């Protein structure tokens, strides 16, 4: 790994922590005269830095022991009828000595109510196949997609329009010949099409979840092991380095840059 990238890898989590400290200080300062201008400038710097973090092309490593909690999306109202999630996955095979039958199953992400009783959108790997799950108005919808092979990057685009969904996966995303799988489409016979997310009571967990959180049964799997990068939710860019909390994330595991191949994409027969 180049020296500059190694330094960046170590610095990014610290930048996120410093941002939180700056915001906390800003809220404590009394608004008066030039102080108000300084506070506004700090606010601008915070937003600029967050925007920078959200656009960095780094995939975050997960060791199977930790998780990341992101801030709830600000555009919850826009997500009611439409949700689009763009991410990269590269799964590592679990060592047999710690597998215990869970190597083919991993939690990927959860966005929904903090007590998991309300609406949500989630992803998991079940029997090596990516499963996209969403709950709308008490009705659970599931989309089984394609197999996620170990040690290969997969580009995943999940799109939901009301109660219907489509998932597009491109395997071997970083190779000279990426493979575009046939889109998996799900059409529901229900009319429960609105995603209700209360920003004040929404949790966004990636790679795992806290011990005191009881995830939906469809997502109740071991923590993620491998590399992951979240790119967008709807039109909002995301970065796993711009986190709210990070728990048991191994600092010895370095982030991975990715450069997608710009060659002809093979289609699945």
């Amino acid at each position: 790994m180049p020296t500059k990238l190694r330094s960046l890898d170590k610095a990014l989590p610290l930048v996120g922590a410093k941002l939180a400290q700056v915001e906390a200080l800003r809220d404590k300062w009394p608004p008066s005269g030039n102080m108000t201008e300084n506070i506004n400038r700090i606010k601008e710097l915070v937003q600029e830095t967050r925007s920078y973090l959200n656009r960095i092309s780094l995939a975050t490593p997960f060791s199977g022991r930790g998780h990341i909690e992101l801030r709830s999306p600000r555009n919850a109202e826009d997500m009611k009828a439409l949700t689009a999630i763009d991410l990269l996955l590269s799964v590592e095979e679990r060592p047999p000595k710690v597998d215990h039958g869970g190597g083919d199953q991993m939690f990927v992400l959860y966005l929904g109510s903090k007590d998991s009783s309300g609406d949500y959108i989630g992803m998991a790997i079940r029997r090596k196949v990516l499963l996209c799950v969403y709950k709308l108005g008490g009705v659970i919808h599931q989309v089984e997609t394609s197999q996620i092979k170990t040690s290969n990057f997969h580009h995943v685009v999940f799109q939901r329009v009301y109660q219907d969904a489509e998932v597009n996966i491109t395997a071997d995303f970083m190779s000279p010949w990426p493979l575009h799988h046939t889109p998996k489409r799900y059409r529901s016979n229900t009319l429960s099409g609105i995603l209700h997310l209360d920003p004040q009571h929404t949790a966004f967990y990636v790679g795992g979840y806290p011990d005191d959180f009881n995830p939906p049964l469809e997502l109740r799997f071991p923590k993620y092991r491998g590399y992951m990068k979240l790119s967008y939710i709807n039109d909002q860019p995301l970065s796993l380095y711009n986190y709210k909390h990070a728990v048991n994330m191994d600092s010895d595991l370095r982030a991975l840059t990715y450069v997608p191949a710009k060659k002809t994409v093979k289609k699945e027969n």
Side-chain angles (χ1 to χ4, degrees):
M1 176 179 288
T3 302
K4 290 184 178 180
L5 178 57
R6 187 179 299 111
S7 300
L8 179 63
D9 183 29
K10 293 180 180 179
L12 283 173
L14 297 177
V15 172
K18 291 297 182 184
L19 284 173
Q21 294 176 16
V22 169
E23 287 181 315
L25 288 172
R26 181 198 68 203
D27 294 336
K28 294 180 181 178
W29 288 344
S32 60
N34 292 334
M35 184 66 74
T36 300
E37 295 180 7
N38 292 337
I39 291 175
N40 289 335
R41 179 54 183 158
I42 289 174
K43 183 177 180 180
E44 292 176 3
L45 290 173
V46 167
Q47 294 303 323
E48 289 174 4
T49 307
R50 289 200 188 283
S51 178
Y52 165 75
L53 286 172
N54 286 338
R55 288 171 171 79
I56 292 177
S57 297
L58 291 175
T60 303
F62 290 82
S63 65
R65 299 182 297 106
H67 73 273
I68 288 175
E69 180 180 357
L70 295 177
R71 296 168 181 81
S72 300
R74 296 181 179 180
N75 54 346
E77 192 69 22
D78 297 337
M79 295 176 63
K80 283 187 173 181
L82 168 68
T83 307
I85 302 178
D86 186 302
L87 69 157
L88 289 175
L89 297 175
S90 177
V91 174
E92 289 186 6
E93 189 173 0
R94 290 176 179 268
K97 64 179 180 179
V98 298
D99 192 350
H100 302 302
D104 296 342
Q105 305 187 129
M106 298 182 192
F107 175 93
V108 176
L109 62 84
Y110 170 90
L111 172 62
S113 58
K114 290 183 178 179
D115 60 2
S116 73
S117 64
D119 290 355
Y120 69 84
I121 292 177
M123 294 185 187
I125 295 173
R126 184 175 67 186
R127 296 187 293 274
K128 296 186 179 182
V129 173
L130 180 65
L131 177 69
C132 299
V133 188
Y134 52 103
K135 181 180 179 182
L136 308 172
V139 180
I140 297 176
H141 308 269
Q142 300 187 41
V143 188
E144 284 199 358
T145 64
S146 305
Q147 187 178 55
I148 302 296
K149 298 180 180 179
T150 58
S151 303
N152 292 325
F153 262 104
H154 296 71
H155 181 214
V156 179
V157 179
F158 167 85
Q159 295 174 306
R160 176 193 68 88
V161 179
Y162 292 103
Q163 65 273 9
D164 299 333
E166 178 175 305
V167 184
N168 288 271
I169 297 180
T170 302
D172 298 326
F173 188 63
M174 294 178 63
S175 77
W177 301 278
L179 174 63
H180 184 69
H181 291 292
T182 302
K184 299 294 182 179
R185 298 183 176 93
Y186 172 83
R187 300 293 179 264
S188 173
N189 56 4
T190 71
L191 297 178
S192 58
I194 301 298
L195 176 69
H196 293 281
L197 294 178
D198 181 353
Q200 301 301 318
H201 299 91
T202 297
F204 194 174
Y205 301 127
V206 180
Y209 43 85
D211 293 338
D212 60 355
F213 176 71
N214 189 28
L217 181 61
E218 293 77 14
L219 303 175
R220 207 169 296 168
F221 297 121
K223 293 180 175 64
Y224 186 80
R225 184 182 179 91
Y227 284 89
M228 189 188 315
K229 183 187 188 303
L230 274 179
S231 299
Y232 290 92
I233 285 191
N234 287 12
D235 59 350
Q236 179 180 344
L238 292 176
S239 170
L240 293 180
Y241 286 100
N242 187 6
Y243 53 73
K244 182 178 180 181
H245 299 294
V247 179
N248 291 333
M249 295 300 292
D250 196 337
S251 59
D252 292 334
L253 297 176
R254 296 191 177 95
L256 182 68
T257 55
Y258 73 93
V259 180
K262 296 182 179 181
K263 292 192 177 183
T264 303
V265 176
K266 297 187 294 183
K267 292 187 177 181
E268 186 180 49
N269 294 328

